Amino acid sequence: MTTNWRTVKGVTWGRETSDGAGVRLKRVIGQPELDFLDPFLMLDAFGSDEADDYIAGFPPHPHRGIETVTYMLAGRMRHEDDAGHAGTLGPGGVQWMTAGRGIIHSEMPEQEEGEMRGFQLWVNLPAKDKMCTPRYQNIEPGEIPEVTRDSGATVRIIAGTVYGVEGPVRGIAAAPLYIDETLPADTVSDHPVAPDHNAFSYVFAGTAEIGATEAAPGKLVRSGELAVLGQGDAVRIRAGQDGARLILVAGQPLGEPIVKYGPFVMNSKDEILQAINDYQNGTFSNPPAE
Ligand code: FE2
């Protein structure tokens, strides 16, 4: 069978912005150049050595209708919610939070100095799951399998199956692939990606040529840039002279209507008004009445 290689449809740098109580970050998905890549609503890349950029954190705020996926590369964040869950997320760890019908939580730095670096991705929930019971998958760094290939490329598998190894995040509607790959200089990695999924790669060290086919070279993607991949069943990634590190993420598009209001993402305006009402009435996270 011939491989139908995915090419790069577009590249975006994203926009510097701030969120929470004043955390500096770069929004890569969920900004005018790349508003939405179904089912991915938002990708924020945060990274700073300056405490002033992150110390204010994200004080209590709600979410409904989505999943938030936090992947820490450096630093520690403490998470607490209105259902009494609390925990710390450290370097190399992941929290995949399914907000479902509602969570009010805070995400605050658990450090006063030093580097804080990572990603937060928002994944849309299908209409049938938007009001589901909230769920957490807290993954410690040591629970994430790491596969080293003959080329020397190392892949951390957060979600999905790569080279026969399955990542620890399971039971997600979008059947996501989420990997963190480090490639030595000039090495090539080929990754199967489900043909019906939307996919992107964000490079955060070095440079990579992404999306080569048998007939044409790929696109040069620099550190800090996100490449949106076209359709196909695999993608080829070749690291530049300084090597590369990137995340590769794919998920099943939902094709459902979206109405967004800050941290609420539903299918209709009425559902958004309901979310606002529930939040104002203090019934936001309550289970539905029997
Ligand atoms: Fe949040």
Side-chain angles (χ1 to χ4, degrees):
M1 232 178 71
T2 54
T3 301
N4 182 12
W5 295 103
R6 286 178 182 248
T7 58
V8 170
K9 278 203 320 196
V11 172
T12 181
W13 170 262
R15 299 272 170 118
E16 311 280 342
T17 183
S18 78
D19 206 340
V23 177
R24 280 188 59 178
L25 52 83
K26 190 153 81 85
R27 185 145 296 158
V28 197
I29 300 176
Q31 44 95 12
E33 263 183 30
L34 181 59
D35 181 43
F36 179 48
L37 182 64
D38 194 3
F40 305 113
L41 295 152
M42 199 186 84
L43 176 70
D44 283 347
F46 52 92
S48 179
D49 301 329
E50 301 293 327
D52 283 352
D53 289 340
Y54 60 74
I55 204 74
F58 298 86
H61 59 276
H63 293 283
R64 176 178 281 181
I66 60 167
E67 302 179 280
T68 68
V69 184
T70 310
Y71 179 34
M72 293 297 286
L73 299 169
R76 303 189 83 81
M77 283 275 224
R78 180 166 176 82
H79 162 268
E80 281 181 22
D81 77 11
D82 59 334
H85 302 104
T88 302
L89 194 58
V94 173
Q95 184 194 65
W96 198 295
M97 181 185 87
T98 306
R101 67 172 173 256
I103 278 176
I104 301 171
H105 75 164
S106 60
E107 299 157 292
M108 300 299 289
E110 195 159 76
Q111 63 188 38
E112 280 162 17
E113 55 180 26
E115 190 184 15
M116 174 81 75
R117 192 171 298 279
F119 299 104
Q120 189 169 84
L121 177 71
W122 288 12
V123 186
N124 200 13
L125 280 169
K128 66 177 178 55
D129 294 334
K130 281 197 178 286
M131 295 297 280
C132 72
T133 303
R135 176 187 178 205
Y136 293 92
Q137 298 187 61
N138 290 310
I139 313 292
E140 296 294 327
E143 296 176 68
I144 298 176
E146 203 167 284
V147 176
T148 300
R149 307 197 78 194
D150 293 344
S151 65
T154 304
V155 184
R156 302 189 81 224
I157 305 161
I158 295 163
T161 300
V162 177
Y163 317 128
V165 179
E166 190 184 7
V169 174
R170 305 210 177 134
I172 303 293
L177 171 75
Y178 193 142
I179 63 175
D180 167 4
E181 179 163 40
T182 304
L183 297 106
D186 297 320
T187 53
V188 177
S189 272
D190 294 342
H191 292 288
V193 179
D196 53 341
H197 284 196
N198 284 332
F200 68 85
S201 180
Y202 181 82
V203 177
F204 57 100
T207 58
E209 179 202 345
I210 299 179
T213 66
E214 309 297 349
K219 179 111 181 143
L220 181 70
V221 184
R222 297 175 176 84
S223 181
E225 290 179 335
L226 178 144
V228 177
L229 304 182
Q231 295 304 302
D233 51 28
V235 61
R236 172 161 288 177
I237 298 169
R238 179 191 299 272
Q241 289 174 355
D242 298 325
R245 187 169 176 194
L246 51 88
I247 53 172
L248 173 64
V249 180
Q252 173 82 56
L254 300 175
E256 294 178 351
I258 285 177
V259 184
K260 282 193 277 190
Y261 182 76
F264 310 144
V265 184
M266 303 301 286
N267 301 110
S268 71
K269 201 176 159 194
D270 281 353
E271 290 169 342
I272 290 292
L273 293 173
Q274 184 67 52
I276 295 167
N277 254 328
D278 289 348
Y279 188 51
Q280 287 171 348
N281 295 338
T283 56
F284 183 70
S285 315
N286 294 358
E290 291 293 315

